[in-house]
Each structure stands twice: as C-alpha cells, then as structure tokens.
Amino acid sequence: MAAWERAAYAKLNLTLDVLGRREDGYHDLRMVMQTVSLTDRLTIETGGEPGVRVRTDLAFLPADGGNLAAAAARRYWEATGRTPEGLTIRIDKRIPVCAGLAGGSSDAAAVLRWMSEYYGDGLSRAELAEIGQTVGSDVPYCVLGGTALAEGRGEVLTPLPALPACWFVLCKPPFPVSTPELFRAVDGAKLRCHPDTRGMLDALKRQDLPGVAQRLYNVFEDVLPPRKRAAVAEIRSQLLEHGALGACMSGTGPTVFGMFRDEAGARQAERALRGQWPETWAVQNICP
Ligand code: C5P
C-alpha cells in the first residue's frame, strides 16, 4: 500500500451577496473568497477492495457514501472513465464542520487535485472545478483557492489580486446553522443592504487592507434567527474591541472572523475571545 498526505484549506467569504433564486432551485451568488491557513489533514492510501472508504476522527461525520471526499473520488472516476480502485481516505478534521468555512468542500477539492496527479491526467484547475461542481457549490472555488470572485452557483470564478498578507481570528459560536433554511429565509426577506462588491474589488486592486476590512459584508447575517444574530453581533463587537480592522460572518455561518494587520494583534484577540468562545483560532491568509 502506498500513502499520500495532503492539506485541505478553509475559506472565508470577504463578501457574500445573494442576487436571486434560480429556476434550478439554487441561488445566484456574488462572493469574494479567501483561503486561510486552517487545514484538515488527509492521508490517502491505495489498495484493497475497489471503491472508496472514508475514515474521520469525528464519529458523527458521514463516512463513505455521504462524505464529500468520497463523492469527489467517485465523480473523478466517472468523469475520466477510469476504473475505480481501492482508496482509503483518512481525514484528520481541524476545520470545524458546518461552520461556513467549506471544510467538506475543501476535502473534496484536495481529493480531486490528488487524483489528477496520481493518475497523471494533468487536468487543469478549470477541468477539476467542473467535476467539483457536481459535488458541491463551494468545491470549484476550493480547487482554485487564493483570492477570487465566485459567481453563479459559486462555480463562475475570477482570480483576483491576492489579499495583502494579514491575519484573521475565526470564532465559531456553539450552535448550528442550516444552510438550506438560511437560503429560504433570504427568499422570504427584503434584504436591507448588500455588500459593496465593486468597492471590495477596487480595494484589492489598490492592495488597501483597511479598505478591504471596511467592506466585509455577508447578507446572511440579516436573516439569522434573532438569538443567533445577536451572538454573531456580539462576537463582531468583541473582535472590533480587540483591534480587528473589520469583522463579518463567513458563508452561512455561524463562524465570525475579524481581520488583523499582524500576528501579535490576532494572537491577543484570540486569547481574549477564547475564554468565552472555545472554538477560536488565529490564522493567516494563504495564496497558493
Ligand atoms: O451545492 P451545495 O450542496 O453545497 O448546496 C447546499 C445547499 O445550499 C443547497 O441545497 C441549496 O439549498 C443551497 N444553495 C443555493 N444556492 C447556491 C449554493 C447553495 O441555494 N448557489
């Protein structure tokens, strides 16, 4: 048996806008995305019975069929016409699950990239993203990584000037948020505000970190149930109080992140928030 190790990176939404509901039931989105240094660790082994097996260190996560990493492997075999062989994917989960950080999608993207390399197929990022979109809406972005604009369902990607080096403090409050429910809530709501996506793109072009921080915005915050919304607002205030340049929820939450100029500021805020919110991490932006 041979084994390979891969890291799968979390993402943040610097902006997230919902433009409308589509005929296929999904929504058209416009989002500025960023990769950060919080990772899952994947160990992929070949051999054994044909088919894919997934093992994780979290008992409640779907193994095998329901896991996005397994779905990615199967879609890869289907798309390339290759015969499935035995694969065991062990995932050491460090990215919190159902937290708005694309942990599952990132695992799937790491598997797709590894498969193209392992089989020597040399598929481009665009070809891998096309396979990835059948696994989940965030997978194409996770295949690309870095700073990017994601539109359509999430699969129409435009690479952007890399976010200048900075730090983030991620803070996940201890309650779940249902992604389909939040999308339904957006359908029933008249959104008061939308992110200034154009201004965000200009700030990235100017490499203006405070300009980016001022424009962090996610429309889903407005449609959270009241108590969850209050917790998110509380975390944002705490991050700003501890020196964040700006703060916002990621994806459909509930993780809230603050942006910091340097590690010292981020570590100080991480220590300050951890007492009340144990799931708090200081991380860096990553530009692959
Ligand atoms: O594509 P994925 O399986 O990650 O999407 C999860 C859910 O999020 C979908 O079932 C849908 O309710 C919602 N969604 C959406 N529009 C998108 C992406 C996701 O409505 N662009």
Side-chain angles (χ1 to χ4, degrees):
M1 277 214 198
W4 289 259
E5 297 207 341
R6 288 292 181 273
Y9 292 87
K11 66 88 179 144
L12 297 177
N13 291 92
L14 304 182
T15 63
L16 196 166
D17 203 1
V18 180
L19 306 182
R21 195 162 183 280
R22 301 156 38 131
E23 297 217 323
D24 62 6
Y26 283 87
H27 292 75
D28 276 319
L29 307 177
R30 185 178 292 140
M31 318 182 274
V32 175
M33 321 277 269
Q34 176 62 47
T35 308
V36 293
S37 61
L38 183 64
T39 59
D40 285 347
R41 299 263 154 206
L42 276 66
T43 307
I44 306 170
E45 290 171 11
T46 54
E49 290 288 302
V52 52
R53 294 162 284 281
V54 176
R55 304 284 174 260
T56 76
D57 53 345
L58 298 180
F60 59 85
L61 267 193
D64 304 334
N67 191 291
L68 296 187
R74 280 197 304 273
R75 296 288 156 74
Y76 187 95
W77 286 323
E78 284 162 20
T80 57
R82 289 195 173 273
T83 309
E85 63 176 295
L87 277 191
T88 304
I89 304 171
R90 293 179 206 285
I91 310 177
D92 182 13
K93 288 297 292 180
R94 290 291 170 265
I95 305 173
V97 174
C98 295
L101 301 172
S105 302
S106 180
D107 296 343
V111 168
L112 291 175
R113 282 200 302 259
W114 172 79
M115 289 180 88
S116 173
E117 194 184 304
Y118 169 71
Y119 287 113
D121 287 335
L123 297 190
S124 66
R125 297 236 162 181
E127 287 167 318
L128 290 175
E130 201 175 323
I131 302 173
Q133 84 176 281
T134 68
V135 177
S137 302
D138 275 339
V139 180
Y141 165 73
C142 291
V143 168
L144 179 72
T147 312
L149 178 70
E151 297 175 285
R153 241 183 78 193
E155 83 287 17
V156 180
L157 296 167
T158 311
L160 296 173
L163 178 69
C166 66
W167 282 72
F168 293 98
V169 174
L170 277 46
C171 178
K172 181 185 167 289
F175 50 75
V177 173
S178 156
T179 295
E181 265 173 41
L182 269 201
F183 273 105
R184 276 197 294 276
V186 158
D187 288 338
K190 173 102 189 68
L191 295 171
R192 285 182 302 134
C193 297
H194 291 270
D196 174 15
T197 310
R198 171 58 46 202
M200 177 63 87
L201 301 185
D202 289 343
L204 286 166
K205 209 162 152 191
R206 291 195 309 273
Q207 298 285 283
D208 168 11
L209 200 61
V212 169
Q214 271 167 26
R215 290 176 177 83
L216 301 174
Y217 193 82
N218 180 340
V219 295
F220 282 122
E221 282 188 41
D222 254 359
V223 296
L224 284 170
R227 287 168 74 169
K228 295 182 181 182
R229 192 168 156 187
V232 164
E234 169 65 17
I235 295 170
R236 189 203 340 274
S237 308
Q238 292 181 12
L239 286 164
L240 294 173
E241 211 171 285
H242 288 282
L245 299 171
C248 174
M249 188 171 84
S250 185
T252 50
T255 304
V256 184
F257 64 93
M259 182 183 261
F260 292 81
R261 245 183 224 293
D262 56 32
E263 178 170 10
R267 294 281 175 212
Q268 187 272 330
E270 180 191 36
R271 280 192 298 276
L273 268 76
R274 237 188 207 159
Q276 183 176 356
W277 313 101
E279 292 187 274
T280 297
W281 307 268
V283 301
Q284 277 176 285
N285 62 334
I286 294 274
C287 290

